[in-house]
Amino acid sequence: MAASARRLARAISGVAGAVWALPLTAPMLVMALMAWPFGARFSTLGPMLVVTRFPYGPMGALALGQVVLSRLPTLDLRVPSYRARDAARRDSPAPIRQERVHLGRHELAHVRQALVLGPLFPFAYLISGGVSARNRFERAADRYARSGRGWWPEW
């Protein structure tokens, strides 16, 4: 009985999170569908709709709501962490510069963050520092991509 109650609670919170994040998911879904004739490929991974071979934008990936857009052919890659990118710019010690994280898990962390914060996510993300190694959301996503734990930012 307890296990079925937990499954029901998880399902309800999953639906509630999806509805809460819908203002972010809907425009991303429209962009993804517009890219379909230009070679975009669709798949799912957990709560994410993954759009690979997206024909526009930067080379990495962008998660907003439950949609991840990426120009890459797959998210199953190890990429430099934000901390490693920052260390390379500052010419820091080699071990930090060589740190890699799993791109798909990094983006999954952002999707989970968006499911909790919904339409507030972009504002919280920007207030936390935008696209940088100082951003708590990016540090949490990198931590989750390395270890599988801790997708929520530490305050």
Side-chain angles (χ1 to χ4, degrees), residues 32-138:
L33 291 173
M34 288 172 45
W36 188 16
F38 301 100
R41 299 287 176 257
F42 295 75
S43 63
T44 58
L45 179 62
M48 299 188 296
L49 172 64
V50 178
V51 183
T52 53
R53 300 180 195 266
F54 188 75
Y56 315 107
M59 199 55 199
L62 169 70
L64 200 53
Q66 290 184 268
V67 179
V68 177
L69 305 177
S70 175
R71 292 185 66 185
L72 301 168
T74 180
L75 294 186
D76 192 16
L77 299 169
R78 298 192 67 73
V79 298
S81 68
Y82 274 87
R83 189 170 77 154
R85 292 178 206 169
D86 190 48
R89 277 193 297 271
R90 295 175 190 217
D91 201 28
S92 295
I96 294 172
R97 289 195 317 250
Q98 295 169 356
E99 181 179 78
R100 300 258 189 237
V101 296
H102 188 271
L103 181 59
R105 283 196 304 252
H106 178 96
E107 297 305 326
L108 177 58
H110 288 314
V111 167
R112 289 181 172 165
Q113 293 162 356
L115 289 174
V116 171
L117 292 175
L120 304 175
F121 177 69
F123 302 107
Y125 183 89
L126 291 173
I127 289 169
S128 292
V131 181
S132 75
R134 294 182 318 274
N135 188 316
R136 290 182 167 123
F137 291 95
E138 291 298 349

